[in-house]
């Protein structure tokens, strides 16, 4: 039985198996990256509410009972996708920089995402106050002092 498994494994190992090369992987990455930017992240240097964070939920929703469903996006402040988005941007920035390519746009998006994180941190406690008032001490996580296009 062990000889049979070894022979099958040897035959499968010697076959020419199809795999993607670096160019195909890069092409696929940049396709999905552009799709992410176009459909699932609203990038804005003004750090408006809902900007620079990935969509948390998207699809058809019935806004009121017995009404036609609408296709909608939901940008929640408790977005669990934001750390992955920041990690993806940081990795992309480092790879572009290491290979001598233009990383300005990626760096700006990374800074905007970190500023969005700061915005969410500064306004999180105000949600539970009766008048939703924001105080300076509400920013108790990180403080981002970078500005785009300066680094």
């Amino acid at each position: 039985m062990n000889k049979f498994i070894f022979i099958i494994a040897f035959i499968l190992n010697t076959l020419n198996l199809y795999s993607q090369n670096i160019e195909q992987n890069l092409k696929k990455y940049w396709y999905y990256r552009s799709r992410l930017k176009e459909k699932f992240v609203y990038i804005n240097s003004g750090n408006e509410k809902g900007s620079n964070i990935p969509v948390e939920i998207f699809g058809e929703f019935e806004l009121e009972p017995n009404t036609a469903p609408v296709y909608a996006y939901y940008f929640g402040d408790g977005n669990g996708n934001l750390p992955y988005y920041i990690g993806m941007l940081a990795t992309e920035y480092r790879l572009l920089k290491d290979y001598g390519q233009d990383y300005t746009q990626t760096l700006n998006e990374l800074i905007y995402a970190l500023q969005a994180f700061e915005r969410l941190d500064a306004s999180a406690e105000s949600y539970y106050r009766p008048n939703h008032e924001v105080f300076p001490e509400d920013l108790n996580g990180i403080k981002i002092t970078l500005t785009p296009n300066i680094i």
Side-chain angles (χ1 to χ4, degrees):
M1 182 65 175
N2 287 339
K3 287 182 182 181
F4 180 71
I5 293 173
F6 178 75
I7 291 171
I8 295 294
F10 180 75
I11 291 172
L12 290 176
N13 193 29
T14 58
L15 294 176
N16 287 333
L17 300 175
Y18 173 76
S19 65
Q20 296 175 348
N21 59 27
I22 293 173
E23 293 161 10
Q24 290 171 322
N25 278 337
L26 279 173
K27 185 177 178 182
K28 185 182 356 176
Y29 173 79
W30 289 114
Y31 166 75
Y32 284 117
R33 175 74 167 96
S34 67
R35 189 169 166 220
L36 173 73
K37 285 174 58 174
E38 291 170 7
K39 298 186 179 209
F40 301 106
V41 178
Y42 170 58
I43 299 169
N44 185 311
S45 62
N47 202 16
E48 299 172 355
K49 290 182 180 179
S51 66
N52 306 313
I53 58 175
V55 171
E56 186 172 1
I57 301 171
F58 62 95
E60 289 188 359
F61 300 98
E62 194 174 289
L63 297 178
E64 294 182 17
N66 301 321
T67 60
V70 295
Y71 195 82
Y73 294 95
Y74 175 72
F75 295 86
D77 65 348
N79 194 331
N81 299 327
L82 186 56
Y84 297 111
Y85 179 60
I86 290 171
M88 182 212 62
L89 289 172
T91 303
E92 182 179 306
Y93 159 72
R94 186 60 192 203
L95 288 172
L96 289 173
K97 186 175 181 181
D98 285 352
Y99 288 96
Q101 297 181 6
D102 182 30
Y103 56 85
T104 308
Q105 184 177 3
T106 302
L107 180 61
N108 288 342
E109 290 177 32
L110 178 59
I111 291 170
Y112 300 153
L114 290 170
Q115 289 172 342
F117 181 80
E118 182 180 71
R119 180 188 72 232
L120 293 174
D121 180 37
S123 62
E125 285 89 356
S126 68
Y127 178 80
Y128 296 103
R129 295 189 183 110
N131 58 358
H132 300 294
E133 191 175 2
V134 179
F135 298 119
E137 61 269 9
D138 288 345
L139 182 61
N140 50 14
I142 62 169
K143 177 70 178 154
I144 306 300
T145 56
L146 301 173
T147 52
N149 294 324
I150 292 182
I151 298 176

